[in-house]
Amino acid sequence: MIDRKTFLKQSAVVGAGLTLAGLKPMLGYSRNPGMKLITIMHTNDTHARIDPFPAGSGSLAGLGGAARRMALINKIRDKYPHNLLLDAGDTFQGTPYFNYYNGALDFKLMSMMGYDASTIGNHEFDNAVEGFVEVAPKAKFPFVSSNYDFIDAPEMAQFIREQLVLHVNGVKVGIFGLGVDFRNLVLPHLHKGVIYYDPVLVSEQMVRRLRTEQQCDLVICLSHIGYQYSDGRVSDVVVANEVDGIDLIIGGHTHTLLDEPVIIEKQGKEPTIISQVGHAGVVLGQIDFEFDRTNRLRRTWAANHRVDQTYDMV
Amino acid sequence: MLYKSIYYKLPALVLVVLLLVSCAGFTGDDSERDVIHDLNRVQKEYLRIDDSIEPDEEMKAFIKDYASDLFAYMGRKLTVSTGVIERGQPESPLGNLTADILRNRATREMGTQVDVAILNRGGLRIPIPEGEVTVGTVYELMPFENHITMLRFNGRQMRQLANELAIEGGEPVSGLRMRIDNGRATDLLVNGQPVSDQKEYWVATNNWLADGGGPLPTLWSPLERRDLEVMIRDAFIEYLVHVPEISPFTDYRIRD
């Protein structure tokens, strides 16, 4: 059987410029009666890239930009009414916007875009705990972080949720967050009062809570621990392999631009999908989940529309 | 725009319809099967945000006020670069320039000879482009709020430090010359002289490296440490505004 990806690609060749975007309105609704569709849009490591990359930025020149991202998100929302917009951390640092506005503008813009949740990346500590606390009220969405313990930083803890349960289209979505080890990365005085715990152990605990106690139908991890390392350090790939019950890991930190979401298959268990979309808001990820009447996850697919000139030739 | 234009593309539309009919056929079959994830059907493309997307007008207007304030500050011209000043290893034009600026400023602050300056190449975030160098360029180059930290070492520690630089394949340095031979530092000179066990040396660096960030552990246990109230970025800006132009250069201070 020909799979849809190949099928679409072949069709696109035959159609010489068939705009895949044109398909999307039809895909926005489940074709199967009684099935429910939930759309996840995601970013990571946006790094204060509010304007598109300027000329002279190599392959990234002219890409990205918050106002464009907003327009794209609105378009997708029109067609996919049941959606979540999520981010995997490192909103701070990268352009003078951060040095000048300390992240406040980024959080305002993300609030305007309607983000549902983000997590804490290592750069969120660049201006110390106090620096985050100062601008965090501008974020009209929660930060989910499960393996950082804000035990002696109560002023930061008030903006953090250990886990988040959201109801979308009658489906219960559980979200937890993972942050990277501070060692050799975030100086002790900048993360004063915040302790790092092992992502694998914490993930097992979070999945148990979200799946068993909260009865979530879909479990998503917002991760800022990085996609994969050659030295075997804990990463998204390690978590996906060692922890059962995570449907989707939205990754960050390593600025990995995956060509496509990676599926970690597991013997006799449900697979985990890992997705990470580079950095600086150049790409927006979209992953759709389809549930049946009993809220059982039936089918998963990632966005099949690319919005760029390649498809704009007819 | 993309969406409107499709209405004028009848042939493509016909294909879309055909396509949907076929897809619907597959989907119907699959829904009857007892599969949780039909992974063969995972579609795998990402959305690129480029100039085919018209920006959201409201957000564009909102950003504009912030941007004009920002550019009034960041747009100030400091100097001109005659070429692109790149990062790299074992030495690099960008590493040489920035480490020289650091040593120069540290010497002035200390009122005494500062022997060596060391930065981390990972902390230099962009190459300096050819042409106008603005305050904004320096912010992008050095976005971090790091200050100058002075560390004093004996000769043995200096040799150890050079070996750590060699293991890394070279980091931005000033005042030090060496060759990397199989991951070891050889032909080590500080201020043109071999390192002496009878002498002590001042090294200028940033507080991130001194506080345990980065791969140079010798920097974590100096004989003496002094933190200067000078931001690294401010040192760069102050230097650049006083030179008419800068150019990329290498001088084999670290060589393979």
Side-chain angles (χ1 to χ4, degrees):
Chain A
M1 188 176 93
I2 186 167
D3 70 72
R4 187 185 296 162
K5 185 186 181 188
T6 321
F7 184 54
L8 282 185
K9 281 199 168 160
Q10 286 169 351
S11 309
V13 173
V14 174
L18 163 72
T19 54
L20 295 185
L23 272 176
K24 281 323 256 187
M26 310 304 291
L27 293 177
Y29 305 92
S30 175
R31 287 176 300 276
N32 302 308
M35 299 290 261
K36 296 180 255 194
L37 193 73
I38 289 178
T39 292
I40 310 294
M41 292 178 274
H42 66 93
T43 53
N44 57 277
D45 300 272
T46 50
H47 283 300
R49 188 57 61 179
I50 286 165
D51 298 323
F53 275 99
S57 310
S59 60
L60 295 175
L63 297 181
R68 281 186 194 157
R69 199 196 318 163
M70 171 107 208
L72 178 57
I73 287 164
N74 284 340
K75 265 182 193 169
I76 294 171
R77 283 209 177 106
D78 284 347
K79 280 136 209 153
Y80 298 81
H82 307 292
N83 56 65
L84 289 175
L85 176 57
L86 303 171
D87 182 80
D90 270 11
T91 302
F92 284 7
Q93 199 70 268
T95 74
Y97 275 108
F98 175 71
N99 304 99
Y100 206 68
Y101 295 114
N102 300 316
L105 180 58
D106 300 84
F107 284 162
K108 278 183 195 175
L109 297 177
M110 286 173 78
S111 303
M112 287 169 78
M113 292 182 215
Y115 273 82
D116 293 286
S118 184
T119 190
I120 301 294
N122 49 301
H123 282 290
E124 266 67 72
F125 293 98
D126 277 7
N127 287 346
V129 165
E130 300 74 40
F132 179 84
V133 168
E134 194 188 309
V135 298
K138 304 293 181 203
K140 304 299 175 206
F141 51 86
F143 296 88
V144 190
S145 180
S146 315
N147 70 323
Y148 287 158
D149 189 342
F150 298 85
I151 183 155
D152 287 322
E155 67 281 20
M156 186 161 180
Q158 62 174 316
F159 299 104
I160 312 291
R161 302 279 296 274
E162 195 179 6
Q163 60 189 58
L164 192 63
V165 177
L166 299 171
H167 294 265
V168 189
N169 200 11
V171 172
K172 211 168 171 183
V173 183
I175 300 172
F176 70 100
L178 295 177
V180 67
D181 194 348
F182 292 132
R183 243 180 325 170
N184 292 338
L185 196 63
V186 179
L187 296 177
H189 73 275
L190 296 178
H191 68 81
K192 196 160 178 285
V194 187
I195 302 168
Y196 162 89
Y197 286 106
D198 177 63
V200 171
L201 294 177
V202 170
S203 296
E204 280 168 350
Q205 192 186 357
M206 285 297 125
V207 170
R208 200 155 50 235
R209 259 197 235 169
L210 292 168
R211 283 251 181 243
T212 317
E213 293 168 29
Q214 302 267 10
Q215 299 278 307
C216 288
D217 306 306
L218 184 71
V219 172
I220 298 175
C221 170
L222 300 182
S223 161
H224 198 81
I225 63 176
Y227 176 65
Q228 193 172 25
Y229 301 100
S230 52
D231 61 5
R233 250 179 303 158
V234 64
S235 64
D236 293 339
V237 171
V238 170
V239 170
N241 277 300
E242 293 193 11
V243 182
D244 295 329
I246 305 172
D247 295 300
L248 172 63
I249 297 175
I250 293 174
H253 187 56
T254 41
H255 296 194
T256 310
L257 180 54
L258 296 172
D259 293 332
E260 51 188 38
V262 170
I263 300 157
I264 307 290
E265 304 266 12
K266 301 166 163 199
Q267 290 251 304
K269 300 269 175 52
E270 308 223 1
T272 297
I273 296 173
I274 306 175
S275 189
Q276 190 179 153
V277 288
H279 74 295
V282 164
V283 172
L284 182 78
Q286 181 185 346
I287 297 177
D288 302 335
F289 294 98
E290 196 178 54
F291 292 83
D292 66 15
R293 286 185 188 84
T294 61
N295 281 2
R296 213 151 88 113
L297 179 55
R298 286 300 194 140
R299 192 171 296 123
T300 308
W301 63 92
N304 60 358
H305 59 156
R306 269 169 71 113
V307 184
D308 68 12
Q309 312 92 315
T310 351
Y311 292 108
D312 202 19
M313 50 190 155
V314 271
Chain B
M1 227 172 66
L2 217 53
Y3 295 91
K4 277 178 199 156
S5 59
I6 192 155
Y7 297 116
Y8 302 99
K9 296 162 193 166
L10 259 180
L13 259 181
V14 171
L15 255 161
V16 169
V17 171
L18 282 174
L19 198 59
L20 282 172
V21 170
S22 334
C23 288
F26 287 135
T27 311
D29 289 341
D30 287 344
S31 66
E32 301 305 318
R33 295 207 323 245
D34 190 23
V35 284
I36 304 303
H37 292 261
D38 186 350
L39 295 167
N40 287 330
R41 300 186 69 90
V42 170
Q43 289 292 320
K44 300 166 173 180
E45 295 276 355
Y46 284 122
L47 318 168
R48 229 162 82 126
I49 297 181
D50 61 21
D51 57 13
S52 69
I53 301 171
E54 287 294 321
D56 182 80
E57 285 304 323
E58 194 186 330
M59 181 167 281
K60 207 173 145 185
F62 183 83
I63 292 171
K64 208 176 153 191
D65 292 342
Y66 289 89
S68 50
D69 276 6
L70 177 71
F71 290 123
Y73 176 69
M74 296 291 174
R76 187 174 139 226
K77 182 184 159 186
L78 298 174
T79 187
V80 169
S81 179
T82 60
V84 181
I85 305 185
E86 301 266 15
R87 299 175 284 188
Q89 282 185 303
E91 71 172 324
S92 70
L94 188 61
N96 294 351
L97 173 71
T98 52
D100 284 353
I101 296 174
L102 174 61
R103 189 161 72 101
N104 176 299
R105 179 62 181 262
T107 297
R108 229 169 69 212
E109 294 290 328
M110 296 288 284
T112 176
Q113 172 73 39
V114 171
D115 305 286
V116 169
I118 298 180
L119 286 167
N120 53 306
R121 65 187 191 287
L124 304 171
R125 303 299 274 194
I126 57 158
I128 295 178
E130 185 178 345
E132 201 166 271
V133 178
T134 63
V135 173
T137 314
V138 180
Y139 268 83
E140 294 210 32
L141 167 66
M142 175 48 62
F144 306 110
E145 309 294 319
N146 289 335
H147 60 258
I148 301 177
T149 297
M150 301 303 307
L151 307 171
R152 193 161 54 82
F153 294 108
N154 60 31
R156 183 187 57 78
Q157 289 173 306
M158 289 304 284
R159 281 191 291 272
Q160 195 174 304
L161 185 55
N163 279 326
E164 289 166 8
L165 289 169
I167 290 167
E168 274 305 295
E171 290 278 16
V173 296
S174 175
L176 175 154
R177 295 183 67 81
M178 59 182 256
R179 197 160 63 79
I180 300 174
D181 187 8
N182 284 323
R184 302 276 304 170
T186 59
D187 306 339
L188 176 64
L189 296 175
V190 171
N191 278 320
Q193 301 288 321
V195 171
S196 158
D197 283 337
Q198 271 65 57
K199 278 188 71 180
E200 289 180 354
Y201 300 86
W202 276 111
V203 174
T205 186
N206 63 42
N207 61 297
W208 188 79
L209 283 170
D211 285 338
L216 307 172
T218 298
L219 296 180
W220 309 341
S221 42
L223 303 173
E224 183 188 347
R225 168 173 174 159
R226 287 187 209 169
D227 286 276
L228 307 183
E229 285 181 7
V230 180
M231 305 289 287
I232 304 272
R233 180 173 54 236
D234 292 344
F236 290 177
I237 290 173
E238 202 257 0
Y239 173 87
L240 292 172
V241 80
H242 286 106
V243 293
E245 64 171 41
I246 51 173
S247 298
F249 72 96
T250 50
D251 53 15
Y252 305 100
R253 55 184 75 178
I254 299 185
R255 58 214 177 272
D256 286 313

